[in-house]
Amino acid sequence: MEIPYTIEARPDTGLYNAKVGIWLFLASEVMLFGALFSTYILLRVGAPEGYWPHGWLNIPVGTVNTLVLITSSITTVMAWASCKMNQFGRFKFFHACTLCLALTFVGIKSYEYHDKFIHYEITLKNGKIADGHLVSKSADQVVIKGHYVEDRKELFDLRSGSAPHGHEEITIPRAQIATMDNYGPWHSTYLAIYFTLTGLHALHVIGGAIVIGFLWGPGSKLWKTDPERFTNRIEISGLFWHFVDLVWIFLFPVLYLL
Amino acid sequence: MSDHSADHFSQHIRRYLFVFYALLFGTLLTVGASYIPFGDRAVNIAVALFIAVCKASLVACYFMHLISERKMIYFIMAFTAFFFTGLMFLTLWCTGDQPFHTITH
């Protein structure tokens, strides 16, 4: 059975069906991310003064990842324009670039996650706090590269002039440790919402990359038999990809800079 | 695709490239502005969100072609914008319920 309106516009909507479908899907995505953004706002304004982290994320790394995603948006739209201009070779090139950039984004994000998972806040029995990246740990001791603080509040605003510095190697006997937590989602409200928002976004990037990879590889056979339908598929996947970029445009300043 | 001439699309491509450069500039501007001490962090937040809205508008209007879409898409987006705005305002209105001594920006 032939699927109707894959190329020609439906008389009542003026659009081919997939386009209406993707916009309805994107509308639901706006509400999904909107709900999480509103959660972020509530958590942030509800945090006690001075206890909302600032400067916990690596801004240069986040900036590079933003530029990577923006570049992937232009390569996506260029891939679609190449199809429209009947230049399949150029389409292949631009879509391969998009795929590489998507994987780069996920790779950089994984590096950032890893950095958080090896970052530890260790409260000692004498009340002092050691904060830094794990070097090694054994049954007897933990070695981190970081610094000591007297009050946990000193760890919250790392972009202020009074933020603790120093990255010397600190050896802490296990017997002196009261609690030891890494900077995973369980560490604080900020990291919980950070991992939720960026994790969901990363899943969208991975999902989009799978679709783009399919259309670049086995799915591109459709170009030979039905180029207009194939071009429409590229447009639909592109719309999703631009939405993913659009979400990141808000996530980056909200989580990294403010 | 005989009805889509290369000339027609080369104009589009120039526009896409312009948007791309604007997005790159906007990103660097956002990062730069976050280092400017405006005195009140609320101003930093307002500036960053204003730039983000401008960048998002460029992506939506030009990369997603929302600037020249059919009525049906505008209809869907108008509903979405209504409910999204409602969601954000509900969140902002209920910040009055936050306990005393919590941050308000």
Side-chain angles (χ1 to χ4, degrees):
Chain A
M1 195 184 95
E2 187 80 3
I3 301 171
Y5 307 115
T6 53
I7 300 166
E8 75 280 16
R10 227 179 107 121
D12 51 356
T13 61
L15 298 154
Y16 59 94
N17 277 353
K19 199 161 185 178
V20 179
I22 190 72
W23 277 105
L24 285 170
F25 174 68
L26 293 182
S28 72
E29 290 277 87
V30 168
M31 296 314 292
L32 171 66
F33 278 101
L36 286 169
F37 270 111
S38 69
T39 305
Y40 169 87
I41 295 168
L42 274 181
L43 291 172
R44 180 166 180 158
V45 299
E49 193 153 358
Y51 282 92
W52 190 259
H54 192 218
W56 278 18
L57 302 173
N58 189 321
I59 293 173
V61 172
T63 307
V64 168
N65 235 3
T66 307
L67 299 178
V68 165
L69 213 52
I70 287 171
T71 310
S72 76
S73 253
I74 183 80
T75 56
T76 301
V77 82
M78 294 294 268
W80 170 76
S82 302
C83 285
K84 282 284 192 189
M85 290 190 290
N86 222 359
Q87 295 174 336
F88 188 66
R90 268 170 64 99
F91 154 76
K92 279 281 212 181
F93 169 74
F94 283 120
H95 236 34
C97 290
T98 307
L99 199 55
C100 289
L101 290 163
L103 296 176
T104 305
F105 181 89
V106 174
I108 292 174
K109 201 77 225 139
S110 307
Y111 163 77
E112 284 187 284
Y113 278 6
H114 176 256
D115 186 70
K116 287 281 161 272
F117 283 108
I118 61 162
H119 188 174
Y120 279 84
E121 183 185 317
I122 304 169
T123 308
L124 306 182
K125 285 177 180 165
N126 64 7
K128 282 175 87 174
I129 296 166
D131 185 83
H133 287 83
L134 186 72
V135 176
S136 67
K137 63 177 172 182
S138 65
D140 304 325
Q141 63 181 34
V142 174
V143 182
I144 61 165
K145 213 168 215 178
H147 47 254
Y148 282 111
V149 293
E150 297 293 334
D151 186 351
R152 194 165 185 251
K153 201 176 177 184
E154 293 173 51
L155 296 172
F156 280 83
D157 191 355
L158 299 183
R159 281 179 75 179
S160 73
S162 59
H165 292 290
H167 283 85
E168 66 268 25
E169 215 162 87
I170 303 168
T171 303
I172 308 161
R174 285 269 186 189
Q176 288 181 16
I177 296 173
T179 61
M180 179 173 162
D181 268 327
N182 66 8
Y183 278 59
W186 41 80
H187 178 274
S188 57
T189 310
Y190 169 76
L191 286 173
I193 194 73
Y194 162 74
F195 276 102
T196 306
L197 278 165
T198 57
L200 184 67
H201 180 265
L203 284 176
H204 279 72
V205 173
I206 292 166
I210 290 169
V211 173
I212 288 167
F214 172 76
L215 291 172
W216 180 78
S220 66
K221 285 177 192 160
L222 185 65
W223 173 262
K224 287 177 188 162
T225 54
D226 198 346
E228 282 197 71
R229 191 172 171 192
F230 179 74
T231 305
N232 285 350
R233 284 186 177 182
I234 297 301
E235 184 178 18
I236 297 307
S237 65
L239 283 170
F240 176 77
W241 195 255
H242 297 312
F243 174 78
V244 170
D245 181 25
L246 204 143
V247 170
W248 186 258
I249 283 173
F250 286 99
L251 282 181
F252 172 61
V254 163
L255 295 172
Y256 285 73
L257 304 175
L258 301 177
Chain B
M1 325 264 154
S2 55
D3 54 332
H4 297 291
S5 67
D7 272 355
H8 171 76
F9 268 95
S10 63
Q11 279 180 6
H12 278 276
I13 287 166
R14 272 200 295 275
R15 193 178 297 164
Y16 297 145
L17 286 172
F18 175 77
V19 170
F20 172 61
Y21 296 135
L23 291 172
L24 294 183
F25 176 70
T27 303
L28 299 179
L29 194 65
T30 311
V31 176
S34 78
Y35 285 98
I36 300 171
F38 287 111
D40 189 347
R41 193 175 282 179
V43 180
N44 281 84
I45 292 172
V47 169
L49 289 182
F50 175 73
I51 299 169
V53 167
C54 292
K55 285 169 68 186
S57 303
L58 285 173
V59 171
C61 289
Y62 295 101
F63 286 173
M64 299 173 88
H65 307 121
L66 210 50
I67 203 158
S68 55
E69 264 304 348
R70 300 271 177 177
K71 272 185 187 168
M72 179 74 183
I73 303 296
Y74 292 139
F75 189 67
I76 295 168
M77 283 296 103
F79 261 100
T80 313
F82 174 78
F83 285 110
F84 181 81
T85 310
L87 183 66
M88 289 301 146
F89 271 98
L90 275 176
T91 309
L92 291 173
W93 285 330
C94 77
T95 53
D97 296 337
Q98 298 298 330
F100 191 58
H101 278 317
T102 60
I103 58 172
T104 53
H105 51 262

